[in-house]
Amino acid sequence: MAFLLQQMVGDKLKNMTGGKDAGDEKNGGKETAASKGMNREEFEEYQKQLIEEKIARDKEFATRKAERANLRVQLRDKYRLPESAQDDATVQMAGDDLDLPEELAKMVEEDEEEEEINDSFMSKLQNMEVDFDAIKTKAQNTMTEVKQAAEEKCVTM
């Protein structure tokens, strides 16, 4: 019964007093081996594990951040948007550990191939020495001839 009363009233009483325990006031709010119920060696190993886990989480976060930046860089290249110096710096910091989604890589390759084909077609057109004015006048003459032939055959025109 005392346990139930302590659970019900104790939390509310802690909230009213600010939630400070007497043990926290002595140690300045830091964790100690005694507060965790461990001996000193176990506590040091526990602290080491916490630090290693934090380093692994930070490394994984940095990798994910760089992968997202790489994705943004690739999309900017694909759609010819202005580059971002921040994304470029993030990608450079990560090095070669980045993965690009396969679908995006295929899309980028297809777009590059299409651009090469278009560029080669345009370069062929530019290299050809064709008199576009002559072609234009010939096309206009042909259109007027077709109109005249149609007017001759059709009364409503």
Side-chain angles (χ1 to χ4, degrees):
M1 187 66 153
F3 174 74
L4 185 59
L5 185 62
Q6 173 66 28
Q7 287 293 349
M8 291 172 52
V9 177
D11 290 337
K12 293 179 182 173
L13 187 60
K14 257 188 188 177
N15 288 340
M16 286 177 46
T17 60
K20 292 183 181 178
D21 287 337
D24 286 345
E25 291 175 6
K26 290 181 202 173
N27 298 324
K30 294 183 179 180
E31 290 182 342
T32 61
S35 69
K36 288 288 189 179
M38 303 177 195
N39 64 26
R40 184 175 178 196
E41 292 171 356
E42 291 174 339
F43 186 70
E44 287 175 1
E45 185 66 31
Y46 171 73
Q47 291 293 343
K48 222 183 262 187
Q49 275 183 326
L50 287 177
I51 292 170
E52 289 173 0
E53 289 173 1
K54 183 181 184 310
I55 291 171
R57 280 192 315 269
D58 290 345
K59 184 178 179 182
E60 188 176 327
F61 173 75
T63 302
R64 279 195 209 135
K65 187 176 178 182
E67 285 175 354
R68 288 190 296 265
N70 189 27
L71 182 66
R72 286 191 299 271
V73 166
Q74 293 296 327
L75 288 172
R76 282 193 182 103
D77 287 345
K78 179 181 178 198
Y79 294 110
R80 295 186 180 119
L81 298 172
E83 294 182 4
S84 169
Q86 182 180 4
D87 284 344
D88 291 338
T90 305
V91 169
Q92 286 178 357
M93 285 176 40
D96 294 333
D97 297 339
L98 302 178
D99 295 329
L100 185 64
E102 293 177 17
E103 295 173 7
L104 179 64
K106 288 178 185 176
M107 289 171 47
V108 169
E109 286 179 22
E110 290 172 1
D111 287 347
E112 287 176 357
E113 289 173 3
E114 287 177 11
E115 287 178 7
E116 288 175 7
I117 291 169
N118 291 340
D119 288 343
S120 64
F121 177 71
M122 292 301 287
S123 63
K124 285 179 184 177
L125 277 179
Q126 289 174 353
N127 290 338
M128 290 175 41
E129 294 183 17
V130 178
D131 188 12
F132 288 108
D133 291 330
I135 293 173
K136 181 180 174 184
T137 56
K138 187 174 181 181
Q140 287 175 344
N141 291 338
T142 306
M143 287 301 294
T144 55
E145 289 175 10
V146 169
K147 283 182 183 179
Q148 288 174 355
E151 287 175 357
E152 291 173 3
K153 291 182 181 178
C154 183
V155 178
T156 57
M157 290 184 96

